[in-house]
Amino acid sequence: MDSAFISFGQIIEKVLDIKGNINDEDNGIHFYIDEIEIGTPVELDIVVDENGKVTIGAIPPLYRVDTSFRPSYHNITLKAKTHLEDGNRNQ
Amino acid sequence: MATETNNSNNTYWNLEDFVDSLVVELDKTRETLAIKAINKQLTYTVKDLAIDLNIFPTFDGDNIKFITAQPGQQGASKVNIQLGSITDQQVRATTKMTNVKGDTSIDQINIDQKTKNKLRKIGVTSVDDLNQLESKKVDIARVSDDTIDFKTLANQIQKSRRNQNPPMVRSVSLSLDDNNLPYLHLKGQNFSLNQNYPPVAVLNNKLAEVVHSSSDELKIALNKSHISGQENELILTLDPYAIVKMNIRI
């Protein structure tokens, strides 16, 4: 896999590495994000080894400069939910 | 068809392997997030994942393969893959158990690749699948446009199963029965596995009577005409798929 890319699993982990809590102690308000949907264009590097095993490398757009030679952007949309059990939601 | 540009590693892949890799990555992520949840109170777990891919498909007559569009390539097709959450109960209800003990995959049968592909197209991946079709009186020849003959296939399956359980001779001895008549006593395993096929023994080109046969034992009655010196050739036909030839020194 090209060194500019990281594994697909790592992309998901990094995207979901969010705090998720919104606290306003002055007003005594506490929110948390229950469900989140994130969509992003990505570049993909798909490598197939001699046994047919596929490795998916992905990276969000690296450059923000408009060029005549455009990368092919694929899209991923990820829907995630809090890991808490229903009974723990109000804790 | 796509032309390769700046990435020489860009290769064709098939959808099954791609989705397998995706699922493995998602499983790894789920495990990592579960560990993270031990120390961090609020973590997130993937519920749904959708991927829009810009790809160029190709069809070689049997399989469709894809290659991802590279920078600068125009006219790619779009493929949308959506992976949703599924419960373990749903998995059990919709998934066939594979590698069940005693079942034989069609990959293990000595048949040509074309026939294997045709069987896969009609959902047959193992001998159990074939037996189920047979028990429901499905005419495989008709559904495969007369290209698969069940009788030939059944023979190949039997042969393949026999190859997995080949006969093994551990010892051969000369003994006398209750009437003081000589017999050859063979011990081993996987001798007689199918009662429909009684073993046949030929010693020095002369038929000899098999007086007892089981999976691990054979007794072959002898008379003077069978023995011709020290070196004796014994040919055992245990069933249509297992023939043993050995030299016995008496």
Side-chain angles (χ1 to χ4, degrees):
Chain A
M1 191 165 69
D2 191 297
S3 58
F5 293 79
I6 57 175
S7 77
F8 203 79
Q10 283 175 297
I11 287 267
I12 298 170
E13 280 171 36
K14 285 178 191 297
V15 165
L16 294 183
D17 191 16
I18 49 174
K19 197 179 164 197
N21 280 309
I22 302 161
N23 291 325
D24 184 345
E25 289 178 11
D26 295 338
N27 295 307
I29 298 169
H30 173 214
F31 292 102
Y32 73 90
I33 300 168
D34 179 58
E35 191 170 300
I36 187 165
E37 187 172 321
I38 301 169
T40 177
V42 285
E43 285 184 62
L44 290 179
D45 182 29
I46 299 174
V47 180
V48 185
D49 70 11
E50 63 272 17
N51 301 316
K53 191 188 166 215
V54 172
T55 306
I56 307 169
I59 196 80
L62 288 170
Y63 306 106
R64 292 163 195 271
V65 180
D66 197 15
T67 57
S68 57
F69 203 68
R70 302 282 298 167
S72 180
Y73 289 130
H74 313 268
N75 273 293
I76 59 168
T77 308
L78 188 67
K79 198 183 275 183
K81 213 168 163 43
T82 48
H83 194 75
L84 292 170
E85 298 292 326
D86 283 344
N88 296 333
R89 284 263 159 83
N90 297 323
Q91 287 178 5
Chain B
M1 190 177 288
T3 52
E4 294 193 8
T5 53
N6 58 343
N7 188 348
S8 59
N9 290 328
N10 198 26
T11 43
Y12 283 94
W13 40 270
N14 68 47
L15 194 58
E16 192 183 349
D17 293 331
F18 181 84
V19 174
D20 278 352
S21 175
L22 205 57
V23 171
V24 168
E25 289 290 328
L26 277 174
D27 279 348
K28 274 192 225 165
T29 311
R30 198 181 54 185
E31 283 163 18
T32 310
L33 292 171
I35 293 167
K36 206 171 168 184
I38 295 169
N39 291 318
K40 201 177 167 200
Q41 278 193 327
L42 188 61
T43 52
Y44 295 88
T45 187
V46 179
K47 194 177 163 198
D48 297 302
L49 177 74
I51 306 180
D52 286 316
L53 296 169
N54 304 321
I55 47 97
F56 292 97
T58 181
F59 181 58
D60 64 5
D62 284 320
N63 301 306
I64 293 178
K65 289 197 165 191
F66 302 100
I67 193 163
T68 39
Q70 291 297 288
Q73 289 182 331
Q74 303 292 320
S77 307
K78 281 236 181 246
V79 166
N80 178 264
I81 298 171
Q82 296 203 23
L83 299 177
S85 306
I86 186 166
T87 65
D88 54 348
Q89 280 181 341
Q90 285 171 305
V91 170
R92 276 197 291 274
T94 57
T95 310
K96 195 187 82 174
M97 289 292 285
T98 53
N99 301 323
V100 177
K101 203 176 175 186
D103 195 10
T104 309
S105 159
I106 57 167
D107 287 326
Q108 294 170 277
I109 308 170
N110 185 23
I111 49 174
D112 60 287
Q113 194 57 42
K114 212 171 171 182
T115 308
K116 284 181 190 174
N117 290 344
K118 280 189 174 145
L119 285 170
R120 278 206 185 87
K121 275 183 192 170
I122 57 172
V124 174
T125 57
S126 71
V127 173
D128 260 12
D129 292 341
L130 269 175
N131 290 339
Q132 280 200 27
L133 290 180
E134 180 71 353
S135 69
K136 288 177 182 170
K137 310 243 183 274
V138 175
D139 187 350
I140 294 178
R142 190 181 288 174
V143 292
S144 65
D145 300 328
D146 284 326
T147 50
I148 300 174
D149 173 33
F150 187 81
K151 205 171 176 184
T152 311
L153 203 55
N155 270 331
Q156 291 294 349
I157 291 166
Q158 293 292 342
K159 191 176 168 189
S160 169
R161 282 191 166 162
R162 194 54 162 123
N163 285 343
Q164 288 171 19
N165 301 295
M168 287 171 69
V169 180
R170 273 206 206 94
S171 67
V172 181
S173 59
L174 189 62
S175 302
L176 291 174
D177 67 10
D178 296 341
N179 300 317
N180 279 338
L181 295 171
Y183 69 91
L184 269 181
H185 193 181
L186 282 80
K187 288 182 180 172
Q189 61 188 55
N190 300 327
F191 287 149
S192 180
L193 298 181
N194 190 335
Q195 296 303 314
N196 294 328
Y197 302 113
V200 176
V202 175
L203 187 62
N204 294 326
N205 294 322
K206 290 192 179 77
L207 198 64
E209 188 190 356
V210 179
V211 289
H212 169 78
S213 67
S214 68
S215 169
D216 53 3
E217 198 177 42
L218 284 177
K219 287 179 182 174
I220 302 163
L222 299 178
N223 58 44
K224 281 181 186 170
S225 68
H226 287 125
I227 311 296
S228 61
Q230 277 197 324
E231 296 289 336
N232 297 277
E233 185 191 65
L234 174 67
I235 299 172
L236 282 170
T237 305
L238 299 167
D239 52 57
Y241 317 103
I243 297 173
V244 178
K245 184 177 169 184
M246 66 184 106
N247 283 320
I248 301 168
R249 189 169 281 181
I250 299 176

